[in-house]
Amino acid sequence: MERAARKEVAIVAGLTVAVGAFVAVFAARHGFFDLKVYYGAVNYWIHDHGMLYDFLKPNSKYGFTYPPFAAIAMVPMAVVPWALAIVISVGLSLAATYALLRWLVLPVAVRERWTPWFALAVAFLLIVAFEPYRETITFGQVNLLLMVLVGVDLLVGIAGGRRWAGVGIGLATAIKLTPGVFILYLLVTRRWRAALVAAGTATVATLAAAAVDPAASREFWTSALWDTDRVGSLAFVSNQSLQGVVARLDPAHPSTLAWLVLVVAAVGVWAWRVRSASVVEGFALTGVLGCLISPVTWVHHLVWLLPALILLVDAGLRRRGYLVFAAVLYAVLCSRLVWVFEHGFGGVGGFLGSNAYVWASLGLLLFLPLRSGGGRESAAVAELRQEHRVAA
């Protein structure tokens, strides 16, 4: 083995030990809590013929909160044992992670002449230490799968001029409403056909779910969707959205007007920036916006910040200041800092610390550098186009 190769193996081995130790000490153990909700609700719906939104996870007040189409997508859970459901959940999340790394990290590795396996391994290990990623895995969440649906749509469909562009965003929106922000992205960037396809796909999927179970659809759209008690307190420190910031200022009476003003401001900044962004930058910025403007953005939802962080590191390879900025944001988002204020977020220190991840999201929205002309996009899209041709 060459000296350089031995050095890379040693670095990956050392980083593996360091990340493993970090996760063992600092990572929370959630026991696939959300996956248990999905699994229990789908089995209650299919096998016990119960109302989907009547199910509550035993010894908790939490039930199924996604649209009925999500339950249809999760029906395979009704025919597999619990242990296999965990394996499938983790396996799909790892596959989605690999897809994101190939799209966003591999082109950088090729350009910088890094050994591809080494770049992907280091990036993966750093992602494992990223708190929203850890939370996504240990809760058994679907964020990474939805991100890949949207990513395929944008980085292959939109950038490649595919007629089916918009289908992935539509399906992701029908499964969990928050990816609908990417339909807004298509509208703002005047991709009218793709926006129509996305909206149409989401509508057809939603109507299909209504045909399968009209009662569940009626319950979701008229009641469950608007019942915030189903997801927990808006002021809970895990809610790292602009709504969470407002709610923590006055937990008893959060100002809807203040939240709407902040949302309009965030959307305005995003729209101004995203119109001159490449598709991959639009993917990253819109993921950040979704985290900010959603009424509820639990820490695991912040996995949508990953594309923006990767692009920020890429920019840091040319301007070291961005690399320092990326390192600071990454350190904050690995730190579990907000949980220090779980039981009290009063005063200036509490306000700043309990909303630390919101400040990180705002930093990415405001300062993620954009490269006109799509230079970064071309390498990633070329790689995806080549893979699509090979698969075809």
Side-chain angles (χ1 to χ4, degrees):
M1 186 181 295
E2 297 180 2
R3 181 176 180 181
R6 288 197 299 270
K7 182 178 179 181
E8 289 173 345
V9 170
I11 290 173
V12 170
L15 187 58
T16 300
V17 172
V19 169
F22 176 80
V23 170
V25 173
F26 292 104
R29 310 293 195 271
H30 298 296
F32 299 98
F33 185 97
D34 289 359
L35 186 64
K36 287 178 180 176
V37 172
Y38 309 152
Y39 187 84
V42 168
N43 277 277
Y44 178 73
W45 183 46
I46 297 297
H47 296 303
D48 299 335
H49 307 291
M51 168 63 76
L52 180 64
Y53 297 100
D54 285 346
F55 173 83
L56 293 178
K57 181 182 175 296
N59 303 314
S60 83
K61 63 177 183 179
Y62 297 104
F64 199 76
T65 58
Y66 297 167
F69 183 73
I72 294 175
M74 295 177 185
V75 161
M77 288 189 188
V79 296
V80 299
W82 169 241
L84 183 55
I86 294 175
V87 171
I88 292 172
S89 173
V90 174
L92 289 175
S93 292
L94 291 175
T97 306
Y98 178 71
L100 290 171
L101 291 175
R102 285 195 65 85
W103 295 342
L104 301 176
V105 175
L106 187 59
V108 178
V110 171
R111 187 193 69 215
E112 299 292 329
R113 298 183 179 181
W114 297 334
T115 306
W117 79 264
F118 174 71
L120 293 179
V122 169
F124 173 71
L125 289 169
L126 292 176
I127 287 174
V128 169
F130 185 62
E131 184 182 351
Y133 184 86
R134 302 194 312 260
E135 298 270 293
T136 292
I137 299 295
T138 58
F139 270 114
Q141 261 286 338
V142 299
N143 303 306
L144 288 165
L145 307 183
L146 298 180
M147 196 187 304
V148 166
L149 267 179
V150 172
V152 167
D153 223 346
L154 293 179
L155 303 180
V156 179
I158 300 296
R162 308 296 180 185
R163 293 180 63 85
W164 49 261
V167 171
I169 290 172
L171 289 174
T173 302
I175 292 171
K176 187 175 183 179
L177 298 178
T178 48
V181 70
F182 287 92
I183 299 179
L184 181 61
Y185 166 75
L186 297 176
L187 292 172
V188 167
T189 55
R190 300 184 179 183
R191 294 177 167 93
W192 310 118
R193 176 185 172 82
L196 183 61
V197 170
T201 301
T203 300
V204 169
T206 300
L207 292 175
V212 170
D213 191 338
S217 292
R218 183 168 54 252
E219 175 71 14
F220 177 78
W221 294 106
T222 63
S223 178
L225 174 61
W226 315 104
D227 184 2
T228 57
D229 289 338
R230 295 178 63 89
V231 296
S233 169
L234 293 175
F236 182 43
V237 75
S238 183
N239 185 14
Q240 291 293 302
S241 68
L242 293 173
Q243 174 74 294
V245 173
V246 172
R248 281 185 286 277
L249 286 173
D250 186 358
H253 305 286
S255 171
T256 300
L257 177 61
W259 173 58
L260 289 176
V261 169
L262 291 174
V263 166
V264 169
V267 171
V269 171
W270 165 82
W272 170 63
R273 301 204 72 208
V274 85
R275 287 171 66 90
S276 61
S278 67
V279 173
V280 69
E281 292 164 344
F283 176 42
L285 283 172
T286 307
V288 173
L289 178 72
C291 292
L292 286 168
I293 68 174
S294 173
V296 176
T297 297
W298 301 137
V299 169
H300 55 76
H301 294 151
L302 296 174
V303 76
W304 283 94
L305 302 184
L306 272 176
L309 280 172
I310 292 171
L311 295 190
L312 187 60
V313 171
D314 186 10
L317 299 176
R318 293 176 299 277
R319 291 184 60 181
R320 297 304 178 190
Y322 287 128
L323 194 59
V324 173
F325 184 36
V328 170
L329 294 186
Y330 174 77
V332 169
L333 289 163
C334 290
S335 67
R336 291 186 56 82
L337 173 61
V338 298
W339 297 104
V340 173
F341 305 93
E342 180 178 5
H343 302 294
F345 34 76
V348 175
F351 177 72
L352 295 175
S354 66
N355 298 305
Y357 299 172
V358 181
W359 312 142
S361 298
L362 286 171
L364 288 168
L365 179 68
L366 293 168
F367 302 117
L368 180 69
L370 306 180
R371 294 177 63 189
S372 300
R376 180 191 295 111
E377 178 185 303
S378 61
V381 171
E383 175 78 20
L384 291 167
R385 284 179 176 172
Q386 179 62 31
E387 289 187 1
H388 183 80
R389 284 195 293 268
V390 170

